[in-house]
Amino acid sequence: MKTFKQKLKTKGPKRILALDGGGIRGALTLGYLKHIEDYLRKQHKNPDLLLGDYFDLIGGTSTGSIIASALAIGLSVDEIKQKYFELGTKIFGRKYKWWRIFEIDDAFKAKYDHQALDSELKSVFGDITLGDTDHLKTGLCIVAKRADTNSVWTLLNHPDGKFFDSEHGNNSKIPIWKAVRASAAAPTYFLPQSIEVGGDMGYAAFVDGGVSMANNPALQLLMVSTMSGFPFKWEMGEDKILLTSVGTGMHQMKKLPKKIQKNHLLNWASEIPNMLMEDASWQNQTILQWISNSPTPQFIDRQTGDLRNDLLGFGQKKRDPLLHYLRYNVLLDVDDLNKRFNPEKPYTQKVVDDLAAMDNAKNCQKLYDLGYEAGSQEIKAKHFPSGFMID
């Protein structure tokens, strides 16, 4: 298969994989990815094909950046699943202990001890850096939020990137584990990550990329791959760009108006971040369906529908789709899950709320199974046209 350097020189259609943030719910993403990997192996008649071989750019936010980076270094979905389950148990297993004097200050800042996360990421990615062309099989984009400037950063391994190796920054020397740690530094869960970004910027402090419009990074990756300010500069078109976006489950809030009216300051403080992240994800989803003729249209709301009759295009024809867009995700809703999967033991609200938790590592297998079962229903051969096959 082609190396990343060879991919950069290759003409023709491009393939992008975007992976959402969502804590331990990334296990659900892996269930979908297993189906995608199996189908692509069958399509290419190659039982050893990896997603890192097929996609030209893989990117993710938070837990999505962990999976994206593992795919980019050439791991299979099964290999990542094993490591991910182990990682989840360890990083969400050790909380700061209030009675240990040296941890009291950190315990006021974060729920979990970041040392476990650091150690597990180092064990997976070792000393591989963003500039390591020998170990990275494809384009990689890790989305993080620079907290000291309140700006979204897309950490890229493209050698022509403005901040890859220049007077303004040297991202090529950033270890993959540290970039991923920055993207996954969810406020209240883990302490921020400081990184030496090089050039005239010195050090920067990062938090979870999900605290932005890019927890669902699909639209951000489309911008990275096509805008003139970024190094890829790929041409848009339905037969030129395939964008596959995979979620971690969407938890639907259901509260009676009377209960909302009783909310106090602490209630709002805990709920607002999730409310904003969900709004951002749906906004991205709406825009991407608006500029494509997606074969996987999601229902947005009762006014907008699924945009089957709406197309905003800027091609030679007024309504040319700008890309081939796929979105896979599960709605974590009691009625929807019971109707869709018809389980022997029906879901209850308590079970669904437990699955929606982003730090319950005991749910890894359940979430993976849910993503795998959803993938068996949703992923179709027509979603990956032969025009996007690799040589």
Side-chain angles (χ1 to χ4, degrees), residues 1-15:
M1 291 296 170
K2 294 176 180 176
T3 65
F4 178 47
K5 282 186 176 180
Q6 290 173 327
K7 285 183 177 181
L8 289 176
K9 298 176 182 178
T10 303
K11 303 290 185 181
K14 303 297 181 181
R15 297 149 287 264

Side-chain angles (χ1 to χ4, degrees), residues 108-139:
F108 279 109
K109 300 174 183 175
K111 186 176 180 180
Y112 294 99
D113 184 350
H114 68 90
Q115 293 179 8
L117 176 59
D118 294 359
S119 177
E120 291 305 307
L121 292 178
K122 288 177 184 177
S123 72
V124 175
F125 300 108
D127 297 325
I128 302 173
T129 66
L130 279 171
D132 193 339
T133 56
D134 292 332
H135 288 92
L136 290 168
K137 311 295 183 185
T138 191

Side-chain angles (χ1 to χ4, degrees), residues 40-56:
L40 292 175
R41 286 177 171 181
K42 181 179 178 181
Q43 183 189 47
H44 289 79
K45 298 180 181 179
N46 180 357
D48 298 318
L49 181 74
L50 300 169
L51 295 184
D53 296 324
Y54 181 79
F55 289 99
D56 301 283

Side-chain angles (χ1 to χ4, degrees), residues 99-333:
W99 60 85
R100 296 174 67 175
I101 301 300
F102 63 89
E103 289 185 346
I104 287 179
D105 185 51
D106 284 344
F108 279 109
K109 300 174 183 175
K111 186 176 180 180
Y112 294 99
D113 184 350
H114 68 90
Q115 293 179 8
L117 176 59
D118 294 359
S119 177
E120 291 305 307
L121 292 178
K122 288 177 184 177
S123 72
V124 175
F125 300 108
D127 297 325
I128 302 173
T129 66
L130 279 171
D132 193 339
T133 56
D134 292 332
H135 288 92
L136 290 168
K137 311 295 183 185
T138 191
L140 175 63
C141 178
I142 297 171
V143 182
K145 180 71 172 284
R146 183 170 173 179
D148 53 319
T149 60
N150 198 35
S151 55
V152 176
W153 273 40
T154 48
L155 299 167
L156 303 172
N157 68 328
H158 196 298
D160 295 331
K162 289 181 179 179
F163 303 102
F164 185 77
D165 186 6
S166 71
E167 61 180 341
H168 302 299
N170 193 348
N171 292 349
S172 67
K173 295 188 180 299
I174 297 176
I176 295 293
W177 79 262
K178 192 168 286 190
V180 169
R181 165 73 173 83
S183 179
T188 74
Y189 284 91
F190 298 105
L191 293 175
Q193 175 67 43
S194 179
I195 296 180
E196 185 177 4
V197 294
D200 56 11
M201 289 185 288
Y203 281 85
F206 292 92
V207 294
D208 196 313
V211 192
S212 71
M213 290 289 288
N215 187 60
N216 171 351
L219 183 59
Q220 185 72 46
L221 287 181
L222 182 63
M223 293 161 61
V224 164
S225 63
T226 59
M227 284 185 168
S228 60
F230 295 97
F232 294 93
K233 298 179 176 62
W234 292 338
E235 186 180 358
M236 297 186 78
E238 191 174 27
D239 60 344
K240 296 179 174 65
I241 288 186
L242 164 67
L243 172 57
T244 304
S245 172
V246 186
T248 59
M250 183 68 75
H251 191 213
Q252 192 171 46
M253 183 184 291
K254 287 185 177 180
K255 285 191 176 183
L256 295 174
K258 289 183 179 179
K259 287 190 175 183
I260 294 293
Q261 291 174 341
K262 294 179 181 180
N263 271 2
H264 50 67
L265 290 175
L266 291 178
N267 289 136
W268 286 115
S270 63
E271 291 179 4
I272 286 176
N274 285 333
M275 292 168 68
L276 293 176
M277 287 197 319
E278 288 193 16
D279 283 348
S281 182
W282 282 114
Q283 182 80 342
N284 291 347
Q285 176 72 14
T286 302
I287 292 171
L288 287 167
Q289 286 185 199
W290 196 13
I291 63 175
S292 69
N293 185 22
S294 177
T296 61
Q298 307 286 308
F299 179 81
I300 306 299
D301 56 45
R302 285 190 291 181
Q303 181 158 312
T304 309
D306 61 11
L307 285 91
R308 288 179 189 270
N309 299 317
D310 294 282
L311 180 59
L312 178 67
F314 301 97
Q316 292 179 350
K317 297 178 183 178
K318 186 177 180 180
R319 292 183 177 273
D320 282 347
L322 298 184
L323 74 159
H324 183 76
Y325 169 61
L326 306 171
R327 174 66 172 174
Y328 304 112
N329 204 9
V330 174
L331 180 62
L332 298 177
D333 173 78

